[in-house]
Amino acid sequence: MSTLKGRDVLSIADLSTEELREVLDLAAKLKSGEIAPNCRKVLGLLFYKASTRTRVSFTVAMYQLGGQVIDLNPSVTQVGRGEPLADTARVLDRYLDILAVRTFKQEDLETFANYSEIPIINALSDLEHPCQIIADLQTIEETFGTLSGITLTYVGDGNNVANSLLLGGALMGLNVRIACPEGYRPDISIVERAKAIATTTGSEIVITDDPVEAVKGAKAVYTDVWASMGQEDLADARIPIFQPYQVNDELMSHADRDAIILHCLPAHRGEEITDRAIEGKQSRVWDQAENRMHAQKALMVSLLGLL
Ligand code: CP
Ligand code: NVA
């Protein structure tokens, strides 16, 4: 029986090292076909922001588990007309078995979790993107056969993806380096939490403004957009600030020879990553995107206690 049954995952650090290990092992078994659990559960998707990968991978994962999915897009529910979240949460709790929410404020996820018994999954917030990072860890482990001791360097904006990489990487014993311009560093409370976790797992956390130094010896070089959803107005002004943090041939020449390139997608070619880098031999972005489905299926199997 899963130790995660009934739990919420609002942060990747809501999982312990052992629990994240359980989800990653399950994701590998689901991907290989070694196990194929079946259920008649219903997943709700309440997304306040656009999504291709998360929406489709959750939907396909639940269909493959034998369950159903309901799209609760705010434009077709009373959510978009201002019904209080606490009311919506208590009502959805009576219908659904599990709910994934993509939103802006982390507090909104906490409201859903506080007002419902069913598992609530953070499908991306301004603060974190835990589902993405489970798939990223799966991709790194598939490539190198291990996670512990691997150096992962993230270059770019210290955003939701960087925050969850810090926590998830620390939990699984990766050395996580974040290279970003001053003023764009990850959330300080997240950095401190990652450093505290790292003392228990033996990993090293480094925050720097030097991308070349940060990628030296890195086995995985990761980037994401320079302006996240909700920051569209800031995008043009950020381009010159972030230019030295572009993942390109020159930057990759300083990384480990076997280093892989990761990007959560969608990518802005010519900004945070070049076309050559994303299309080249080192890129694992399509495997990474595929793993969203296996990783989230594993998470749902665990949270629903299907095994
Ligand atoms: N990486 C990711 O979460 O993609 P979507 O925004 O398309 O879901
Ligand atoms: N940091 C990006 C990730 C998109 C998947 C955003 O929040 O828009």
Side-chain angles (χ1 to χ4, degrees), residues 283-300:
S283 173
R284 291 290 180 282
V285 301
W286 315 119
D287 293 333
Q288 191 185 358
E290 177 187 333
N291 285 339
R292 297 294 307 278
M293 185 172 66
H294 307 298
Q296 287 151 207
K297 195 190 282 180
L299 190 60
M300 290 193 288

Side-chain angles (χ1 to χ4, degrees), residues 50-55 102 129 132 229 264-266 292:
S51 169
T52 298
R53 279 143 289 272
T54 312
R55 178 185 297 282
R102 170 168 285 201
H129 197 359
Q132 178 69 52
M229 288 181 277
C264 58
L265 305 176
R292 297 294 307 278

